[in-house]
Amino acid sequence: MSLATGLHYSGPYTMPHVSSLPDLLARPELLELLAELRRAATGTRPEEALVRLLAARTGGRAEVYASWGPLVAGAGEPPAGVSPQSLRLTHGRRHVGRLELWLPPEWAALGSLAAEYALLARLQTAAAGAARRRVGERTLDALLSGVSDPATLGPDAYAVAVAGLGPAVGRGAGARAAQAHALDVLAGAGEGYFAERVGQGLCTVRGDQAVWLWPARDLLREAEELYEALKASTGPSVRLGVSGLHRRTAPVQALQEAQQALSSLAGRPGHQIFQQMDPLYALLTQGRLTPLRRQVQALLADLDDGGRTESTLRAYLAHQGTLAELAEQQNVHVNTLRYRLRRAEQALDGSLSDPALLARLYLAFSPAGDP
């Protein structure tokens, strides 16, 4: 009699009556299966070993997914007419992955037990990643501090990413400990992504930020996938800034780019790549354009027309079509539009055909520069 039929399950997730448990626990088939599951889940490649074992034992299919979505390991074929069991793998409040099982009816109740060993396999992989990260932390800290020669990174392109979380809830030691733990989880999630999808990468925690450096091959895709991995593991409040591609340059420059990209999110969840951020962001947000903005607004305010000229000028700068089209959008006659633009030129002592004046106005009226 096989172990599956010997358990006498009446349906999925229906456990045997408690009075039968002593006899069940003494069955050599059960002890053998538990030993095999433990060996698989604690081996060098635990997810692969576990799904192979489950597929071979049950004649079904098993798949283990990372917390951010991609398949980590899969084996076997789904039996005809069998719907999959989807089992979320969590450790504490941390989502670490998902187990998908296609099991014949007589093996259906194995799902809950298999999920526990799949969780053990994922934690085993995470522990190995943590050990790698401790080595990588020293290497990356040395690179970012300028102690280590960047030539050790080789000739290939690399990128740096920086992630932060929302503000800590509370100011006590408990809140600080919780924030430190959340940062460690964040760092581990990114390290796991790079280990499984890119093959290598360095990771550390600096202050209230997690930092990664990796050999980038497809920066846009990798940035998007890294953000999704972090969000799936730590929640939607995560923010991520990513540098541009670098070769044979000191990583501190890439770190600065990643931090600028992160700061451009202004505390909002999301991710930003350095090349895609507004190149005037730092200038606009550090108050350096405040005198220009106030000067332009003061000159236009002297017209004392309730702000109509300034509003028209802003619309003119944002418009791509003809004056007639703009006048229609503003619900004014085209001559009224021309009159207001002439008044703006007089107040500003310049011509709207002058590139220098236009540049000043675009900077002064930039949304990022508004108070």
Side-chain angles (χ1 to χ4, degrees), residues 342-366:
R342 283 198 300 272
R343 293 198 72 196
E345 289 179 323
Q346 292 169 359
L348 298 170
D349 192 24
S351 170
L352 291 176
S353 62
D354 181 0
L357 177 60
L358 285 175
R360 291 172 58 208
L361 292 175
Y362 279 119
L363 291 173
F365 291 150
S366 168

Side-chain angles (χ1 to χ4, degrees), residues 81-248:
V82 172
S83 298
Q85 298 179 30
S86 183
L87 301 132
R88 182 181 173 91
L89 309 176
T90 58
H91 179 62
R93 291 180 294 177
R94 180 183 174 187
H95 172 42
V96 299
R98 188 176 82 255
L99 174 65
E100 296 281 334
L101 291 171
W102 290 259
L103 300 178
E106 65 270 21
W107 284 98
L110 183 64
S112 296
L113 180 62
E116 293 301 318
Y117 283 94
L119 173 60
L120 178 60
R122 291 300 294 156
L123 294 178
Q124 181 83 358
T125 298
R132 290 193 303 270
R133 193 165 83 241
R134 284 192 290 273
V135 176
E137 282 176 349
R138 295 191 290 271
T139 302
L140 183 53
D141 282 333
L143 285 166
L144 296 176
S145 301
V147 176
S148 181
D149 186 354
T152 59
L153 294 172
D156 296 333
Y158 72 88
V160 169
V162 175
L165 297 167
V169 179
R171 299 182 179 179
R176 291 194 298 272
Q179 188 78 345
H181 173 71
L183 275 172
D184 188 63
V185 170
L186 189 71
E191 192 277 338
Y193 163 75
F194 287 121
E196 293 180 8
R197 295 302 297 272
V198 180
Q200 58 182 311
L202 302 175
C203 172
T204 189
V205 173
R206 292 167 66 92
D208 59 353
Q209 296 175 340
V211 184
W212 301 271
L213 183 151
W214 76 100
R217 299 176 181 86
D218 185 341
L219 185 61
L220 298 182
R221 176 183 59 80
E222 290 162 1
E224 175 68 28
E225 290 180 350
L226 174 60
Y227 175 66
E228 291 300 323
L230 301 178
K231 188 169 64 172
S233 296
T234 60
S237 65
V238 67
R239 297 171 288 113
L240 177 70
V242 182
S243 76
L245 292 175
H246 288 260
R247 289 182 176 87
R248 298 185 178 89

Side-chain angles (χ1 to χ4, degrees), residues 34-51:
L34 293 177
E36 289 179 347
L37 289 170
R38 180 179 58 81
R39 284 195 296 269
T42 57
T44 54
R45 301 185 69 85
E47 293 95 346
E48 292 182 9
L50 183 64
V51 295

Side-chain angles (χ1 to χ4, degrees), residues 301-359:
D302 286 342
L303 297 175
D304 196 22
D305 63 353
R308 288 189 296 273
T309 299
E310 180 179 339
S311 176
T312 299
L313 185 56
R314 286 177 179 267
Y316 170 77
L317 294 171
H319 185 63
Q320 301 295 323
T322 65
L323 286 182
E325 292 170 341
L326 178 59
E328 184 177 355
Q329 291 177 9
Q330 296 290 302
N331 198 26
V332 297
H333 193 278
V334 66
N335 289 335
T336 302
L337 180 64
R338 291 193 178 98
Y339 170 73
R340 291 179 183 176
L341 293 177
R342 283 198 300 272
R343 293 198 72 196
E345 289 179 323
Q346 292 169 359
L348 298 170
D349 192 24
S351 170
L352 291 176
S353 62
D354 181 0
L357 177 60
L358 285 175

